Structure formats: structure tokens, C-alpha cells
Amino acid sequence: MENNHEVIDNENKGQVKMPYNLREKKIKSAPYRDLIRTELADELYDKIYELVVTRKKYKQPNFSANDLAKLLKTNTRYLSAVVNSKFKMNFSCLLNEYRIRDAKHMLADKRYAGKNIEEISAMSGFANRQSFYAAFYRIVGITPNEYRKNHENI
């Protein structure tokens, strides 16, 4: 089996090719995040958690920050600032974290043994196979197939 972390070429020594077109995370400065009142940020956090996690909006493949902002009657900049500061990740990563949690549960659960990876991907809320595999690998460190195989005998 070929190593997935090959060096790209001699010009770029030290840079490693990541599978699924993943890139290193860049930390960006966003001073507006600190301008939101704490009470407003806490209130938005609770509402975001209620909709995204408790009501499982993350399972909707095309659910966007714009959709959530409309539901919460706020703007995407406030929403983004709260997600970044309170959840410590961006909106897409937040959705993917919960989608992957669901997928991991289904991949390890014998009740879903008859479902293929694409079906589990769709049931978790991913719009396509590529984004599922990339998110799964980034979060878990192995492919969904490897994860399922590792949990077959548990």
C-alpha cells in the first residue's frame, strides 16, 4: 500500500501531500469577534446549539450559515463570530463534527451493517461522498471503511 503522506516534490521539501485535498488549518485574525456583547454571544450560542445539535439541522445536506442566520433572525457575521468563539471552529466544521459523530455511530452499529458508506454518508447529512470522506479522514484520521473494519468485532 502506498504511503498517503508522500513529499510532493524536491522544490517543496518539507511540505507533505495530504489525502483528500486537505490543507493545514490557517489561523486568521478577526477582531470583530471580540465586539459582540457577552450576553448576546451566550444567547446565540444556546440558540445555535438548540437548532444545530438538539434539532439535528446538521443532517440537512445543504443547511448553511445563511439558513441558520435567517432562523435566528441575525446576520451571518454575528453567527460566525459566535460559532468561532464559543465552539472553537467554523460553521462547516461544526456541522461536520456532528455529522461524523453520527456516521461513526452508524459505522460501528450492527443495525447499519447492511448500509454502504454512501448511504451512511447521506444519512449523516453529507451532500456528497468526497466531502464525507475528506471530513471523516480529517476528524478521525482513518477512512470510513477502515473505521468500520476496526469496529466489526466489537
Side-chain angles (χ1 to χ4, degrees), residues 37-49:
R37 290 190 337 263
T38 305
E39 303 82 34
L40 177 60
D42 291 342
E43 184 181 324
L44 271 175
Y45 169 81
D46 291 341
K47 289 177 179 179
I48 293 166
Y49 190 87

Side-chain angles (χ1 to χ4, degrees), residues 91-131:
F91 183 76
S92 295
C93 289
L94 176 67
L95 296 182
N96 287 344
E97 283 283 333
Y98 286 98
R99 289 171 177 164
I100 295 301
R101 284 183 189 186
D102 276 6
K104 285 171 51 180
H105 169 75
M106 288 185 262
L107 289 167
D109 192 327
K110 292 182 186 344
R111 293 177 293 179
Y112 297 94
K115 300 284 185 193
N116 65 36
I117 301 297
E118 286 74 24
E119 290 171 312
I120 289 175
S121 165
M123 291 167 61
S124 301
F126 284 92
N128 61 62
R129 180 178 179 221
Q130 177 63 24
S131 60

Side-chain angles (χ1 to χ4, degrees), residues 7-15:
V7 175
I8 294 173
D9 59 22
N10 290 335
E11 283 179 12
N12 298 322
K13 279 193 177 178
Q15 289 187 354

Side-chain angles (χ1 to χ4, degrees), residues 14-91:
Q15 289 187 354
V16 176
K17 182 178 180 182
M18 300 286 289
Y20 303 108
N21 295 323
L22 297 176
R23 296 183 185 98
E24 281 191 43
K25 187 176 181 179
K26 294 178 184 175
I27 298 172
K28 300 175 190 171
S29 174
Y32 65 87
R33 290 181 191 150
D34 298 327
L35 299 176
I36 299 175
R37 290 190 337 263
T38 305
E39 303 82 34
L40 177 60
D42 291 342
E43 184 181 324
L44 271 175
Y45 169 81
D46 291 341
K47 289 177 179 179
I48 293 166
Y49 190 87
E50 168 67 22
L51 284 168
V52 173
V53 181
T54 307
R55 294 191 187 174
K56 299 188 180 203
K57 290 287 189 182
Y58 64 86
K59 287 193 175 240
Q60 296 175 2
N62 297 314
F63 189 65
S64 68
N66 199 31
D67 295 334
L68 183 58
K70 285 178 185 175
L71 288 171
L72 297 175
K73 296 178 175 79
T74 189
N75 65 48
T76 54
R77 189 166 275 246
Y78 276 151
L79 182 70
S80 177
V82 171
V83 169
N84 280 276
S85 64
K86 297 289 186 177
F87 290 95
K88 305 295 185 217
M89 62 185 80
N90 67 32
F91 183 76

